[in-house]
Amino acid sequence: MLLAIAAVILFIVFRFKKQKAVEAAAPLPDGYLNLLEQHVTYYRELPADKKPVFADKVRYFLNHVRVDGVGVMVDDVDRVLVASSAVIPIFGFPDWHYHNLTDVLLYKDLFNEQFETEGQDRPVMGMVGNGAMQNVMILSRPALYEGFEVETSKNQTGIHEFVHLLDKADGATDGLPEYLIGKQYALPWLQLMHRTIEEMKKGKSDIDIYGATNEAEFLAVTSEYFFKRPDLLQKKHPELFELLTKIFHQNPLIA
């Protein structure tokens, strides 16, 4: 009897693992390559041999993370933009996957800390969940789109939140992502971070002042700048640009 029960359990486990493997191997849906070309400048500017690598990372992400809407119907463009926001910061790390994320929720507008999308005080564009919302990311759909559509801006909400997730992967959201940054760069990064935050507080920097809130926000804000306007960051903050190329193992100007 016990052998029979064990056999049934093993069969169920095997079927579950097989089903998950099939889901994980699902191909990128038709039309997604065209959507990447149309909506994601980072992808469009990649060399031809790197585009399939990026597309495969998008495929992997979408096969492992659910993208749902709250007050909004999620479409293929939404999924492509969310997945691209996830892939861009980790593109220099061939084996990196988001093990601390299961769901991304798109809200119809900006929201507050009670997740309300109505009323006056709604400053939040994105959030990485904690507690009951662990492994969940929330993004304002309009803010997500703005990050890809307004190319002259230095703001990129999707990348901002995924960098928070990378920072959080080592257990502490502290602006020092231990899984990404080499030990030889940790001290120079901390020193440059604190020096730049002081400049920001004195109004001597063009970096969004929100980045001076704390170390975690500094990393997220400067990462937005790095991936969205690498040309401008290199011109105005060459030392910061150089360190970010080492942290992310990539140079967006010569992708």
Side-chain angles (χ1 to χ4, degrees):
M1 185 68 177
L2 289 175
L3 286 175
I5 293 172
V8 171
I9 292 172
L10 286 172
F11 176 72
I12 293 172
V13 169
F14 175 76
R15 282 192 61 184
F16 177 78
K17 288 185 175 180
K18 185 176 181 180
Q19 179 182 353
K20 283 297 181 183
V22 170
E23 291 173 357
L28 197 64
D30 291 341
Y32 273 44
L33 294 181
N34 288 334
L35 293 178
L36 284 167
E37 285 282 355
Q38 293 171 23
H39 297 281
V40 183
T41 301
Y42 181 99
Y43 173 84
R44 193 163 55 243
E45 294 180 350
L46 283 173
D49 62 324
K50 290 187 178 181
K51 287 185 177 182
V53 180
F54 189 98
D56 191 60
K57 286 182 175 292
V58 166
R59 178 199 64 80
Y60 186 95
F61 179 88
L62 291 174
N63 285 338
H64 288 80
V65 177
R66 291 182 293 270
V67 181
D68 292 317
V70 177
V72 62
M73 292 292 293
V74 171
D75 60 23
D76 288 342
V77 177
D78 297 328
R79 294 186 180 92
V80 164
L81 297 187
V82 169
S84 295
S85 299
V87 170
I88 289 170
I90 62 166
F91 195 59
F93 298 85
D95 300 320
W96 179 272
H97 301 296
Y98 290 95
H99 299 296
N100 53 347
L101 182 69
T102 59
D103 297 83
V104 175
L105 301 179
L106 291 183
Y107 275 41
K108 66 178 182 178
D109 207 338
L110 303 183
F111 53 96
N112 58 27
E113 293 186 0
Q114 287 72 48
F115 311 111
E116 298 167 337
T117 56
E118 306 293 339
Q120 295 297 319
D121 188 19
R122 294 180 291 111
V124 184
M125 292 184 286
M127 180 184 297
V128 173
N130 289 298
M133 298 291 284
Q134 190 78 5
N135 299 328
V136 176
M137 178 183 293
I138 303 171
L139 294 172
S140 158
R141 188 173 183 262
L144 172 69
Y145 272 68
E146 184 178 341
F148 286 92
E149 292 174 351
V150 184
E151 296 192 359
T152 55
S153 166
K154 293 173 286 189
N155 300 325
Q156 226 290 2
T157 297
I159 288 176
H160 182 110
E161 296 306 324
F162 276 100
V163 169
H164 275 321
L165 203 61
L166 294 175
D167 190 12
K168 184 181 179 183
D170 60 12
T173 311
D174 56 4
L176 189 65
E178 294 180 10
Y179 289 142
L180 300 184
I181 191 168
K183 291 182 179 179
Q184 68 271 38
Y185 303 123
L187 183 57
W189 171 249
L190 288 172
Q191 291 172 336
L192 180 58
M193 179 194 304
H194 292 140
R195 189 166 74 243
T196 306
I197 286 175
E198 288 305 310
E199 293 173 357
M200 293 164 67
K201 290 178 177 179
K202 294 175 182 177
K204 297 180 179 180
S205 175
D206 70 322
I207 299 172
D208 188 337
I209 190 60
Y210 186 66
T213 305
N214 54 46
E215 290 85 351
E217 296 301 346
F218 180 84
L219 173 64
V221 166
T222 55
S223 297
E224 292 181 72
Y225 196 160
F226 176 70
F227 287 111
K228 187 76 179 288
R229 292 298 310 276
D231 55 331
L232 191 61
L233 183 66
Q234 185 185 49
K235 178 181 177 181
K236 294 199 170 187
H237 308 277
E239 189 178 0
L240 181 58
F241 178 86
E242 185 64 24
L243 262 180
L244 286 169
T245 65
K246 293 178 170 62
I247 290 173
F248 289 108
H249 291 194
Q250 58 174 306
N251 182 340
L253 292 176
I254 53 172

mmCIF file of all heavy atoms in Angstrom, residues 19-61:
data_model
loop_
_atom_site.group_PDB
_atom_site.id
_atom_site.type_symbol
_atom_site.label_atom_id
_atom_site.label_comp_id
_atom_site.label_asym_id
_atom_site.label_seq_id
_atom_site.Cartn_x
_atom_site.Cartn_y
_atom_site.Cartn_z
ATOM 1 N N GLN A 19 5.235 19.502 -16.734
ATOM 2 C CA GLN A 19 4.380 20.591 -17.181
ATOM 3 C C GLN A 19 5.104 21.932 -17.064
ATOM 4 O O GLN A 19 5.048 22.774 -17.959
ATOM 5 C CB GLN A 19 3.086 20.626 -16.358
ATOM 6 C CG GLN A 19 2.136 21.764 -16.766
ATOM 7 C CD GLN A 19 0.894 21.794 -15.885
ATOM 8 O OE1 GLN A 19 0.678 20.914 -15.064
ATOM 9 N NE2 GLN A 19 0.084 22.818 -16.069
ATOM 10 N N LYS A 20 5.812 22.135 -15.927
ATOM 11 C CA LYS A 20 6.549 23.376 -15.718
ATOM 12 C C LYS A 20 7.660 23.523 -16.748
ATOM 13 O O LYS A 20 7.928 24.621 -17.250
ATOM 14 C CB LYS A 20 7.136 23.421 -14.303
ATOM 15 C CG LYS A 20 6.115 23.748 -13.234
ATOM 16 C CD LYS A 20 5.535 25.123 -13.440
ATOM 17 C CE LYS A 20 4.532 25.493 -12.378
ATOM 18 N NZ LYS A 20 3.923 26.819 -12.644
ATOM 19 N N ALA A 21 8.329 22.430 -17.070
ATOM 20 C CA ALA A 21 9.407 22.476 -18.057
ATOM 21 C C ALA A 21 8.868 22.854 -19.426
ATOM 22 O O ALA A 21 9.481 23.627 -20.163
ATOM 23 C CB ALA A 21 10.113 21.127 -18.116
ATOM 24 N N VAL A 22 7.686 22.300 -19.780
ATOM 25 C CA VAL A 22 7.071 22.639 -21.067
ATOM 26 C C VAL A 22 6.699 24.113 -21.110
ATOM 27 O O VAL A 22 6.928 24.815 -22.100
ATOM 28 C CB VAL A 22 5.824 21.762 -21.305
ATOM 29 C CG1 VAL A 22 5.038 22.263 -22.518
ATOM 30 C CG2 VAL A 22 6.242 20.314 -21.511
ATOM 31 N N GLU A 23 6.111 24.613 -20.000
ATOM 32 C CA GLU A 23 5.742 26.025 -19.940
ATOM 33 C C GLU A 23 6.975 26.917 -20.069
ATOM 34 O O GLU A 23 6.955 27.933 -20.764
ATOM 35 C CB GLU A 23 5.017 26.321 -18.622
ATOM 36 C CG GLU A 23 3.640 25.681 -18.524
ATOM 37 C CD GLU A 23 3.035 25.860 -17.157
ATOM 38 O OE1 GLU A 23 3.718 26.424 -16.270
ATOM 39 O OE2 GLU A 23 1.882 25.436 -16.956
ATOM 40 N N ALA A 24 8.065 26.544 -19.395
ATOM 41 C CA ALA A 24 9.283 27.351 -19.416
ATOM 42 C C ALA A 24 9.923 27.376 -20.791
ATOM 43 O O ALA A 24 10.630 28.321 -21.141
ATOM 44 C CB ALA A 24 10.276 26.820 -18.392
ATOM 45 N N ALA A 25 9.665 26.332 -21.584
ATOM 46 C CA ALA A 25 10.263 26.254 -22.914
ATOM 47 C C ALA A 25 9.380 26.855 -23.997
ATOM 48 O O ALA A 25 9.741 26.825 -25.170
ATOM 49 C CB ALA A 25 10.571 24.794 -23.247
ATOM 50 N N ALA A 26 8.218 27.383 -23.614
ATOM 51 C CA ALA A 26 7.293 27.949 -24.603
ATOM 52 C C ALA A 26 7.990 29.047 -25.403
ATOM 53 O O ALA A 26 8.713 29.868 -24.846
ATOM 54 C CB ALA A 26 6.059 28.504 -23.897
ATOM 55 N N PRO A 27 7.785 29.053 -26.718
ATOM 56 C CA PRO A 27 8.464 30.057 -27.556
ATOM 57 C C PRO A 27 7.887 31.453 -27.339
ATOM 58 O O PRO A 27 6.792 31.613 -26.791
ATOM 59 C CB PRO A 27 8.182 29.561 -28.978
ATOM 60 C CG PRO A 27 6.888 28.815 -28.861
ATOM 61 C CD PRO A 27 6.924 28.152 -27.502
ATOM 62 N N LEU A 28 8.636 32.447 -27.793
ATOM 63 C CA LEU A 28 8.144 33.821 -27.747
ATOM 64 C C LEU A 28 6.967 33.937 -28.706
ATOM 65 O O LEU A 28 7.056 33.491 -29.859
ATOM 66 C CB LEU A 28 9.261 34.779 -28.156
ATOM 67 C CG LEU A 28 9.093 36.255 -27.799
ATOM 68 C CD1 LEU A 28 9.071 36.443 -26.288
ATOM 69 C CD2 LEU A 28 10.232 37.082 -28.399
ATOM 70 N N PRO A 29 5.839 34.489 -28.260
ATOM 71 C CA PRO A 29 4.663 34.574 -29.138
ATOM 72 C C PRO A 29 4.946 35.336 -30.433
ATOM 73 O O PRO A 29 5.807 36.203 -30.484
ATOM 74 C CB PRO A 29 3.640 35.326 -28.273
ATOM 75 C CG PRO A 29 4.059 35.053 -26.867
ATOM 76 C CD PRO A 29 5.559 34.994 -26.912
ATOM 77 N N ASP A 30 4.200 34.985 -31.473
ATOM 78 C CA ASP A 30 4.340 35.666 -32.754
ATOM 79 C C ASP A 30 4.118 37.165 -32.595
ATOM 80 O O ASP A 30 3.211 37.596 -31.880
ATOM 81 C CB ASP A 30 3.312 35.118 -33.760
ATOM 82 C CG ASP A 30 3.614 33.681 -34.168
ATOM 83 O OD1 ASP A 30 4.774 33.254 -33.980
ATOM 84 O OD2 ASP A 30 2.693 33.000 -34.663
ATOM 85 N N GLY A 31 4.923 37.930 -33.259
ATOM 86 C CA GLY A 31 4.769 39.376 -33.243
ATOM 87 C C GLY A 31 5.571 40.093 -32.186
ATOM 88 O O GLY A 31 5.737 41.317 -32.248
ATOM 89 N N TYR A 32 6.107 39.352 -31.210
ATOM 90 C CA TYR A 32 6.820 40.007 -30.123
ATOM 91 C C TYR A 32 8.140 40.628 -30.585
ATOM 92 O O TYR A 32 8.568 41.653 -30.047
ATOM 93 C CB TYR A 32 7.061 39.032 -28.970
ATOM 94 C CG TYR A 32 5.904 38.967 -27.988
ATOM 95 C CD1 TYR A 32 4.593 38.908 -28.442
ATOM 96 C CD2 TYR A 32 6.121 38.970 -26.625
ATOM 97 C CE1 TYR A 32 3.530 38.843 -27.556
ATOM 98 C CE2 TYR A 32 5.061 38.903 -25.717
ATOM 99 C CZ TYR A 32 3.773 38.849 -26.194
ATOM 100 O OH TYR A 32 2.724 38.800 -25.316
ATOM 101 N N LEU A 33 8.797 40.029 -31.566
ATOM 102 C CA LEU A 33 10.037 40.625 -32.081
ATOM 103 C C LEU A 33 9.747 41.980 -32.722
ATOM 104 O O LEU A 33 10.516 42.935 -32.560
ATOM 105 C CB LEU A 33 10.712 39.688 -33.086
ATOM 106 C CG LEU A 33 11.246 38.371 -32.537
ATOM 107 C CD1 LEU A 33 11.908 37.564 -33.646
ATOM 108 C CD2 LEU A 33 12.247 38.616 -31.403
ATOM 109 N N ASN A 34 8.626 42.072 -33.429
ATOM 110 C CA ASN A 34 8.238 43.357 -34.019
ATOM 111 C C ASN A 34 7.923 44.383 -32.945
ATOM 112 O O ASN A 34 8.267 45.562 -33.078
ATOM 113 C CB ASN A 34 7.026 43.174 -34.936
ATOM 114 C CG ASN A 34 7.373 42.454 -36.224
ATOM 115 O OD1 ASN A 34 8.517 42.506 -36.675
ATOM 116 N ND2 ASN A 34 6.392 41.792 -36.820
ATOM 117 N N LEU A 35 7.276 43.942 -31.869
ATOM 118 C CA LEU A 35 6.960 44.866 -30.770
ATOM 119 C C LEU A 35 8.240 45.360 -30.100
ATOM 120 O O LEU A 35 8.331 46.540 -29.714
ATOM 121 C CB LEU A 35 6.056 44.183 -29.745
ATOM 122 C CG LEU A 35 4.646 43.845 -30.221
ATOM 123 C CD1 LEU A 35 3.865 43.134 -29.113
ATOM 124 C CD2 LEU A 35 3.898 45.093 -30.676
ATOM 125 N N LEU A 36 9.228 44.487 -29.946
ATOM 126 C CA LEU A 36 10.511 44.910 -29.381
ATOM 127 C C LEU A 36 11.154 45.975 -30.268
ATOM 128 O O LEU A 36 11.666 46.984 -29.770
ATOM 129 C CB LEU A 36 11.440 43.705 -29.224
ATOM 130 C CG LEU A 36 11.148 42.766 -28.057
ATOM 131 C CD1 LEU A 36 11.927 41.471 -28.207
ATOM 132 C CD2 LEU A 36 11.481 43.431 -26.723
ATOM 133 N N GLU A 37 11.138 45.760 -31.568
ATOM 134 C CA GLU A 37 11.712 46.735 -32.510
ATOM 135 C C GLU A 37 10.975 48.069 -32.442
ATOM 136 O O GLU A 37 11.582 49.135 -32.487
ATOM 137 C CB GLU A 37 11.648 46.197 -33.940
ATOM 138 C CG GLU A 37 12.670 45.122 -34.250
ATOM 139 C CD GLU A 37 14.067 45.689 -34.497
ATOM 140 O OE1 GLU A 37 14.219 46.925 -34.516
ATOM 141 O OE2 GLU A 37 15.003 44.881 -34.654
ATOM 142 N N GLN A 38 9.684 48.020 -32.305
ATOM 143 C CA GLN A 38 8.868 49.235 -32.326
ATOM 144 C C GLN A 38 8.967 50.045 -31.038
ATOM 145 O O GLN A 38 8.971 51.275 -31.072
ATOM 146 C CB GLN A 38 7.398 48.867 -32.572
ATOM 147 C CG GLN A 38 7.098 48.309 -33.943
ATOM 148 C CD GLN A 38 5.677 47.776 -34.032
ATOM 149 O OE1 GLN A 38 4.791 48.168 -33.270
ATOM 150 N NE2 GLN A 38 5.451 46.832 -34.942
ATOM 151 N N HIS A 39 9.059 49.362 -29.905
ATOM 152 C CA HIS A 39 8.865 50.046 -28.625
ATOM 153 C C HIS A 39 10.094 50.121 -27.726
ATOM 154 O O HIS A 39 10.090 50.901 -26.769
ATOM 155 C CB HIS A 39 7.738 49.363 -27.844
ATOM 156 C CG HIS A 39 6.405 49.427 -28.510
ATOM 157 N ND1 HIS A 39 5.612 50.553 -28.482
ATOM 158 C CD2 HIS A 39 5.743 48.495 -29.244
ATOM 159 C CE1 HIS A 39 4.495 50.320 -29.162
ATOM 160 N NE2 HIS A 39 4.548 49.080 -29.633
ATOM 161 N N VAL A 40 11.135 49.337 -28.011
ATOM 162 C CA VAL A 40 12.263 49.275 -27.083
ATOM 163 C C VAL A 40 13.538 49.722 -27.793
ATOM 164 O O VAL A 40 14.151 48.949 -28.543
ATOM 165 C CB VAL A 40 12.428 47.841 -26.511
ATOM 166 C CG1 VAL A 40 13.556 47.821 -25.480
ATOM 167 C CG2 VAL A 40 11.117 47.354 -25.890
ATOM 168 N N THR A 41 13.928 50.956 -27.548
ATOM 169 C CA THR A 41 15.115 51.522 -28.200
ATOM 170 C C THR A 41 16.360 50.716 -27.882
ATOM 171 O O THR A 41 17.202 50.486 -28.758
ATOM 172 C CB THR A 41 15.318 52.984 -27.757
ATOM 173 O OG1 THR A 41 14.147 53.735 -28.112
ATOM 174 C CG2 THR A 41 16.527 53.601 -28.427
ATOM 175 N N TYR A 42 16.495 50.286 -26.644
ATOM 176 C CA TYR A 42 17.659 49.488 -26.231
ATOM 177 C C TYR A 42 17.807 48.264 -27.130
ATOM 178 O O TYR A 42 18.897 47.965 -27.622
ATOM 179 C CB TYR A 42 17.485 49.076 -24.771
ATOM 180 C CG TYR A 42 18.623 48.259 -24.189
ATOM 181 C CD1 TYR A 42 19.612 48.850 -23.408
ATOM 182 C CD2 TYR A 42 18.692 46.882 -24.392
ATOM 183 C CE1 TYR A 42 20.639 48.097 -22.855
ATOM 184 C CE2 TYR A 42 19.708 46.120 -23.852
ATOM 185 C CZ TYR A 42 20.681 46.735 -23.081
ATOM 186 O OH TYR A 42 21.691 45.974 -22.552
ATOM 187 N N TYR A 43 16.697 47.552 -27.360
ATOM 188 C CA TYR A 43 16.728 46.367 -28.215
ATOM 189 C C TYR A 43 17.046 46.748 -29.655
ATOM 190 O O TYR A 43 17.865 46.104 -30.316
ATOM 191 C CB TYR A 43 15.381 45.655 -28.152
ATOM 192 C CG TYR A 43 15.236 44.514 -29.132
ATOM 193 C CD1 TYR A 43 15.721 43.247 -28.826
ATOM 194 C CD2 TYR A 43 14.611 44.707 -30.367
ATOM 195 C CE1 TYR A 43 15.590 42.193 -29.729
ATOM 196 C CE2 TYR A 43 14.478 43.664 -31.273
ATOM 197 C CZ TYR A 43 14.965 42.413 -30.943
ATOM 198 O OH TYR A 43 14.844 41.378 -31.849
ATOM 199 N N ARG A 44 16.405 47.797 -30.133
ATOM 200 C CA ARG A 44 16.574 48.219 -31.523
ATOM 201 C C ARG A 44 18.022 48.555 -31.842
ATOM 202 O O ARG A 44 18.487 48.354 -32.967
ATOM 203 C CB ARG A 44 15.665 49.419 -31.793
ATOM 204 C CG ARG A 44 15.491 49.771 -33.247
ATOM 205 C CD ARG A 44 14.296 50.662 -33.465
ATOM 206 N NE ARG A 44 14.315 51.881 -32.674
ATOM 207 C CZ ARG A 44 13.417 52.183 -31.737
ATOM 208 N NH1 ARG A 44 12.440 51.333 -31.458
ATOM 209 N NH2 ARG A 44 13.497 53.316 -31.069
ATOM 210 N N GLU A 45 18.759 49.067 -30.848
ATOM 211 C CA GLU A 45 20.137 49.492 -31.077
ATOM 212 C C GLU A 45 21.166 48.395 -30.798
ATOM 213 O O GLU A 45 22.358 48.619 -30.966
ATOM 214 C CB GLU A 45 20.433 50.724 -30.220
ATOM 215 C CG GLU A 45 19.604 51.944 -30.654
ATOM 216 C CD GLU A 45 19.874 53.179 -29.822
ATOM 217 O OE1 GLU A 45 20.568 53.058 -28.783
ATOM 218 O OE2 GLU A 45 19.389 54.264 -30.186
ATOM 219 N N LEU A 46 20.706 47.222 -30.386
ATOM 220 C CA LEU A 46 21.634 46.112 -30.165
ATOM 221 C C LEU A 46 22.197 45.611 -31.495
ATOM 222 O O LEU A 46 21.517 45.655 -32.526
ATOM 223 C CB LEU A 46 20.925 44.953 -29.470
ATOM 224 C CG LEU A 46 20.640 45.060 -27.974
ATOM 225 C CD1 LEU A 46 19.790 43.878 -27.525
ATOM 226 C CD2 LEU A 46 21.930 45.117 -27.164
ATOM 227 N N PRO A 47 23.445 45.103 -31.494
ATOM 228 C CA PRO A 47 23.966 44.423 -32.689
ATOM 229 C C PRO A 47 23.074 43.229 -33.041
ATOM 230 O O PRO A 47 22.429 42.641 -32.165
ATOM 231 C CB PRO A 47 25.360 43.962 -32.256
ATOM 232 C CG PRO A 47 25.707 44.815 -31.084
ATOM 233 C CD PRO A 47 24.421 45.145 -30.398
ATOM 234 N N ALA A 48 23.057 42.873 -34.298
ATOM 235 C CA ALA A 48 22.162 41.809 -34.774
ATOM 236 C C ALA A 48 22.362 40.500 -34.022
ATOM 237 O O ALA A 48 21.394 39.774 -33.745
ATOM 238 C CB ALA A 48 22.370 41.598 -36.267
ATOM 239 N N ASP A 49 23.599 40.183 -33.646
ATOM 240 C CA ASP A 49 23.849 38.902 -32.984
ATOM 241 C C ASP A 49 23.380 38.870 -31.530
ATOM 242 O O ASP A 49 23.249 37.796 -30.934
ATOM 243 C CB ASP A 49 25.337 38.541 -33.062
ATOM 244 C CG ASP A 49 26.222 39.550 -32.345
ATOM 245 O OD1 ASP A 49 25.904 40.760 -32.387
ATOM 246 O OD2 ASP A 49 27.232 39.142 -31.747
ATOM 247 N N LYS A 50 23.108 40.049 -30.950
ATOM 248 C CA LYS A 50 22.665 40.098 -29.557
ATOM 249 C C LYS A 50 21.140 40.168 -29.420
ATOM 250 O O LYS A 50 20.600 39.923 -28.340
ATOM 251 C CB LYS A 50 23.311 41.281 -28.832
ATOM 252 C CG LYS A 50 24.811 41.113 -28.607
ATOM 253 C CD LYS A 50 25.366 42.216 -27.736
ATOM 254 C CE LYS A 50 26.859 42.012 -27.469
ATOM 255 N NZ LYS A 50 27.413 43.065 -26.593
ATOM 256 N N LYS A 51 20.464 40.513 -30.494
ATOM 257 C CA LYS A 51 19.003 40.616 -30.419
ATOM 258 C C LYS A 51 18.334 39.288 -30.065
ATOM 259 O O LYS A 51 17.412 39.267 -29.235
ATOM 260 C CB LYS A 51 18.450 41.188 -31.727
ATOM 261 C CG LYS A 51 18.733 42.677 -31.901
ATOM 262 C CD LYS A 51 18.062 43.233 -33.134
ATOM 263 C CE LYS A 51 18.297 44.737 -33.229
ATOM 264 N NZ LYS A 51 17.616 45.335 -34.401
ATOM 265 N N PRO A 52 18.759 38.165 -30.653
ATOM 266 C CA PRO A 52 18.143 36.887 -30.246
ATOM 267 C C PRO A 52 18.373 36.562 -28.767
ATOM 268 O O PRO A 52 17.522 35.937 -28.127
ATOM 269 C CB PRO A 52 18.831 35.855 -31.153
ATOM 270 C CG PRO A 52 19.317 36.631 -32.318
ATOM 271 C CD PRO A 52 19.700 37.973 -31.773
ATOM 272 N N VAL A 53 19.511 36.976 -28.231
ATOM 273 C CA VAL A 53 19.801 36.743 -26.806
ATOM 274 C C VAL A 53 18.820 37.537 -25.951
ATOM 275 O O VAL A 53 18.247 37.021 -24.977
ATOM 276 C CB VAL A 53 21.254 37.140 -26.473
ATOM 277 C CG1 VAL A 53 21.534 36.902 -24.990
ATOM 278 C CG2 VAL A 53 22.238 36.354 -27.331
ATOM 279 N N PHE A 54 18.618 38.800 -26.309
ATOM 280 C CA PHE A 54 17.678 39.639 -25.570
ATOM 281 C C PHE A 54 16.264 39.054 -25.661
ATOM 282 O O PHE A 54 15.550 38.940 -24.654
ATOM 283 C CB PHE A 54 17.690 41.061 -26.137
ATOM 284 C CG PHE A 54 16.921 42.062 -25.330
ATOM 285 C CD1 PHE A 54 17.573 42.889 -24.428
ATOM 286 C CD2 PHE A 54 15.540 42.194 -25.463
ATOM 287 C CE1 PHE A 54 16.866 43.829 -23.677
ATOM 288 C CE2 PHE A 54 14.825 43.119 -24.722
ATOM 289 C CZ PHE A 54 15.493 43.943 -23.824
ATOM 290 N N ALA A 55 15.853 38.686 -26.873
ATOM 291 C CA ALA A 55 14.511 38.131 -27.071
ATOM 292 C C ALA A 55 14.314 36.856 -26.266
ATOM 293 O O ALA A 55 13.230 36.616 -25.718
ATOM 294 C CB ALA A 55 14.274 37.871 -28.557
ATOM 295 N N ASP A 56 15.342 36.029 -26.156
ATOM 296 C CA ASP A 56 15.225 34.790 -25.388
ATOM 297 C C ASP A 56 15.087 35.079 -23.902
ATOM 298 O O ASP A 56 14.373 34.368 -23.188
ATOM 299 C CB ASP A 56 16.433 33.891 -25.634
ATOM 300 C CG ASP A 56 16.217 32.492 -25.066
ATOM 301 O OD1 ASP A 56 15.259 31.822 -25.493
ATOM 302 O OD2 ASP A 56 16.984 32.087 -24.177
ATOM 303 N N LYS A 57 15.753 36.129 -23.422
ATOM 304 C CA LYS A 57 15.598 36.519 -22.014
ATOM 305 C C LYS A 57 14.181 37.047 -21.756
ATOM 306 O O LYS A 57 13.605 36.808 -20.689
ATOM 307 C CB LYS A 57 16.649 37.564 -21.632
ATOM 308 C CG LYS A 57 18.056 36.995 -21.460
ATOM 309 C CD LYS A 57 19.029 38.073 -21.025
ATOM 310 C CE LYS A 57 20.408 37.490 -20.736
ATOM 311 N NZ LYS A 57 20.405 36.628 -19.534
ATOM 312 N N VAL A 58 13.634 37.773 -22.721
ATOM 313 C CA VAL A 58 12.243 38.223 -22.618
ATOM 314 C C VAL A 58 11.312 37.013 -22.551
ATOM 315 O O VAL A 58 10.390 36.950 -21.726
ATOM 316 C CB VAL A 58 11.876 39.127 -23.812
ATOM 317 C CG1 VAL A 58 10.357 39.331 -23.907
ATOM 318 C CG2 VAL A 58 12.574 40.476 -23.683
ATOM 319 N N ARG A 59 11.547 36.042 -23.427
ATOM 320 C CA ARG A 59 10.752 34.809 -23.428
ATOM 321 C C ARG A 59 10.822 34.110 -22.066
ATOM 322 O O ARG A 59 9.789 33.736 -21.496
ATOM 323 C CB ARG A 59 11.269 33.862 -24.518
ATOM 324 C CG ARG A 59 10.538 32.512 -24.572
ATOM 325 C CD ARG A 59 11.351 31.468 -25.317
ATOM 326 N NE ARG A 59 12.611 31.171 -24.636
ATOM 327 C CZ ARG A 59 12.717 30.358 -23.587
ATOM 328 N NH1 ARG A 59 11.642 29.765 -23.090
ATOM 329 N NH2 ARG A 59 13.884 30.149 -23.021
ATOM 330 N N TYR A 60 12.033 33.941 -21.546
ATOM 331 C CA TYR A 60 12.208 33.267 -20.263
ATOM 332 C C TYR A 60 11.461 34.010 -19.153
ATOM 333 O O TYR A 60 10.761 33.397 -18.340
ATOM 334 C CB TYR A 60 13.690 33.157 -19.922
ATOM 335 C CG TYR A 60 13.965 32.348 -18.677
ATOM 336 C CD1 TYR A 60 14.283 30.992 -18.762
ATOM 337 C CD2 TYR A 60 13.889 32.926 -17.409
ATOM 338 C CE1 TYR A 60 14.519 30.232 -17.625
ATOM 339 C CE2 TYR A 60 14.117 32.182 -16.263
ATOM 340 C CZ TYR A 60 14.431 30.837 -16.381
ATOM 341 O OH TYR A 60 14.645 30.097 -15.240
ATOM 342 N N PHE A 61 11.606 35.326 -19.127
ATOM 343 C CA PHE A 61 10.945 36.115 -18.087
ATOM 344 C C PHE A 61 9.433 35.922 -18.143
ATOM 345 O O PHE A 61 8.791 35.664 -17.115
ATOM 346 C CB PHE A 61 11.297 37.596 -18.257
ATOM 347 C CG PHE A 61 10.627 38.489 -17.245
ATOM 348 C CD1 PHE A 61 11.217 38.737 -16.021
ATOM 349 C CD2 PHE A 61 9.405 39.084 -17.521
ATOM 350 C CE1 PHE A 61 10.595 39.550 -15.075
ATOM 351 C CE2 PHE A 61 8.775 39.907 -16.589
ATOM 352 C CZ PHE A 61 9.373 40.133 -15.362
#
